[in-house]
Amino acid sequence: AEHSVALREDGTVWTWGHNSRGQLGEASPRSRPTPGPVPQLSNIIAIAAGEAHTLALQGDGTVWAWGQNTDGELGDTTRSSRATPGKVIDLTGVTAVAAGENFSMALRSDGTVWAWGYNGLARSSSATQVPELAQITAVATGGTHALALQQDGTAWAWGENDWGQLGIGQLSDSGTARKVVGLTQVTALAAGGAHSLALRADGTVRAWGQNTSGQVGSGIPAERHTPSQLAVLTGVTAVSGGLRHALARRSDGTLWSWGSNVQGQLGDLSSDVGRVTPAQLAELAGVSQVVSGGYFSMALLNDGSVQAWGENTFGQLGDGSTMQRLVPTLTQL
């Protein structure tokens, strides 16, 4: 929501932004507007940030977590928040991690999915296998819903569904994984606060769910209960979902954004009302990765530098200030 995490080539993890729950991995509760290393972590190969907790996957297949733990999202069998990394109990062989608002998820090398933390009326402070899911190759988490990509290119979804973010053609929540309607040849998934995104093998993007700010990119602010193609986007290689906005990277290294812009998270000086269709950020080129926070956005460039824009109340842009940025600004990393 309001903190940022970066993984460097040397396997170390760096954090900045809000730290009220210890999500930066340091004891002081003060926010930090510039990146700093998380102590005691090495050989990390993947990271994920939830609303106020953080996950790191180590090269040996174990997962480390820190920050808010009121719903058990750290997976250590307690509900005590922690400012230092601790190992998720009884979880090995992990190949990917994802963090929702106040829950966590892991994909194991055997294609099974495991989750812990908030689960509606229930909470689990230890990792539990998500039933009836097999041959999964990727996972993604939204605010209170989750997505999984199966080896055959289909997508599965579960959790809250008030806005149709599960893509099952109806609005009922689901405590079990349901197949997303009409999706095939999917290569990547992303989830925002209450909307979802799928990248297909042909480079096109499908989106569904909440659309009050245009985050589905369909051209009209009406929610979508099943996937809808973003007609203006082709040649896409990566997608990301923020609270109410979304980003896409094209194969030519350009970045495209759409949805809410109340904090400048679209990065192009457009109206704070937002935008209902994707548009290119002319200022950015050579983008290799994109990521969306609550009301801010980031791009990793081919040269290893990071650009960030949008809300910066807690220094989550990492530029040494707490000033809102309406266009991409260099992170001090």
Side-chain angles (χ1 to χ4, degrees):
E2 296 163 334
H3 76 291
S4 303
V5 192
L7 173 61
R8 294 188 61 178
E9 292 178 342
D10 62 3
T12 60
V13 175
W14 294 63
T15 58
W16 60 100
H18 205 186
N19 196 37
S20 61
R21 297 288 184 170
Q23 58 263 50
L24 299 190
E26 64 172 40
S28 170
R30 292 177 300 177
S31 300
R32 188 172 61 214
T34 55
V38 178
Q40 305 172 7
L41 279 183
S42 60
N43 192 30
I44 301 301
I45 59 174
I47 52 175
E51 181 180 50
H53 73 288
T54 311
L55 306 175
L57 171 60
Q58 206 160 41
D60 62 0
T62 60
V63 178
W64 296 74
W66 60 97
Q68 180 173 289
N69 196 32
T70 52
D71 293 296
E73 50 264 67
L74 301 190
D76 63 358
T77 72
T78 78
R79 292 188 190 168
S80 300
S81 299
R82 186 178 60 237
T84 55
K87 188 180 292 187
V88 175
I89 302 298
D90 297 328
L91 189 63
T92 59
V94 175
T95 59
V97 289
E101 183 176 323
N102 47 10
F103 69 102
S104 305
M105 194 162 295
L107 172 64
R108 294 187 61 189
S109 56
D110 61 3
T112 60
V113 177
W114 296 69
W116 59 99
Y118 184 76
N119 192 32
L121 297 178
R123 291 163 174 80
S124 175
S125 55
S126 57
T128 303
Q129 185 176 349
V130 178
E132 301 178 5
L133 278 181
Q135 297 183 320
I136 301 301
T137 60
V139 290
T141 47
T144 52
H145 73 290
L147 306 172
L149 173 60
Q150 205 162 43
Q151 194 172 38
D152 62 1
T154 59
W156 297 74
W158 62 98
E160 192 170 47
N161 195 33
D162 290 352
W163 298 92
Q165 58 263 49
L166 300 190
I168 57 177
Q170 58 188 48
L171 295 181
S172 56
D173 298 347
S174 180
T176 58
R178 303 274 301 275
K179 184 181 284 191
V180 178
V181 173
L183 269 186
T184 60
Q185 297 183 329
V186 176
T187 58
L189 294 166
H195 65 289
S196 303
L197 303 157
L199 174 62
R200 297 188 70 225
D202 62 2
T204 60
V205 176
R206 304 293 193 275
W208 61 98
Q210 186 185 34
N211 197 28
T212 51
S213 300
Q215 58 265 51
V216 168
S218 59
I220 55 173
E223 65 189 54
R224 297 279 185 165
H225 303 161
T226 56
S228 172
Q229 182 175 342
L230 279 67
V232 300
L233 276 182
T234 59
V236 175
T237 59
V239 288
S240 179
L243 183 62
R244 290 186 179 89
H245 74 290
L247 306 173
R249 176 203 181 269
R250 292 186 60 185
S251 56
D252 60 3
T254 59
L255 189 147
W256 296 63
S257 64
W258 63 97
S260 173
N261 199 36
V262 293
Q263 291 284 352
Q265 61 264 48
L266 298 189
D268 64 356
L269 299 176
S270 63
S271 166
D272 61 6
V273 174
R275 192 171 51 240
V276 296
T277 55
Q280 182 182 343
L281 274 71
E283 298 85 357
L284 276 184
V287 174
S288 64
Q289 292 183 31
V290 293
V291 65
S292 312
Y295 292 99
F296 67 103
S297 305
M298 310 185 95
L300 173 63
L301 304 189
N302 292 331
D303 63 3
S305 64
V306 174
Q307 297 275 339
W309 58 98
E311 186 191 14
N312 197 27
T313 307
F314 300 98
Q316 58 263 51
L317 302 188
D319 66 351
S321 79
T322 55
M323 294 175 56
Q324 179 194 46
R325 301 294 185 180
L326 301 180
V327 295
T329 304
L330 185 66
T331 296
Q332 297 179 16
L333 185 63

